Amino acid sequence: MAAARSNSTTGALSSDTRERLVTVQLGQIRSLTCQVLALKERVDALERKLDESQG
């Protein structure tokens, strides 16, 4: 991303740089998606426990 910042003032990014940035961003998106899904599972489990303890 530093490359994107430095090149943004000088012109367009090269296709290699763009491709690398997209690859990094896709990896970050996948990682964050996995984290969200894991947190959702934890919340669901906690909600089930709460329901069981109240019911």
Side-chain angles (χ1 to χ4, degrees), residues 1 3 5-6 8-11 14-16 19 24-25 27 31 33-34 38 40-44 49 54-55:
M1 288 199 212
R5 282 188 218 111
S6 66
S8 65
T9 57
T10 60
S14 72
S15 62
D16 286 344
E19 198 169 314
V24 168
Q25 290 171 340
S31 175
T33 300
C34 288
K40 183 183 180 320
E41 288 175 10
R42 289 179 63 185
V43 167
D44 290 346
K49 283 185 181 181
Q54 290 178 345

Side-chain angles (χ1 to χ4, degrees), residues 16-42:
D16 286 344
T17 302
R18 252 182 285 138
E19 198 169 314
R20 275 186 262 131
L21 285 172
V22 169
T23 301
V24 168
Q25 290 171 340
L26 285 173
Q28 291 173 334
I29 290 167
R30 286 185 184 118
S31 175
L32 290 170
T33 300
C34 288
Q35 290 176 41
V36 168
L37 292 173
L39 288 170
K40 183 183 180 320
E41 288 175 10
R42 289 179 63 185

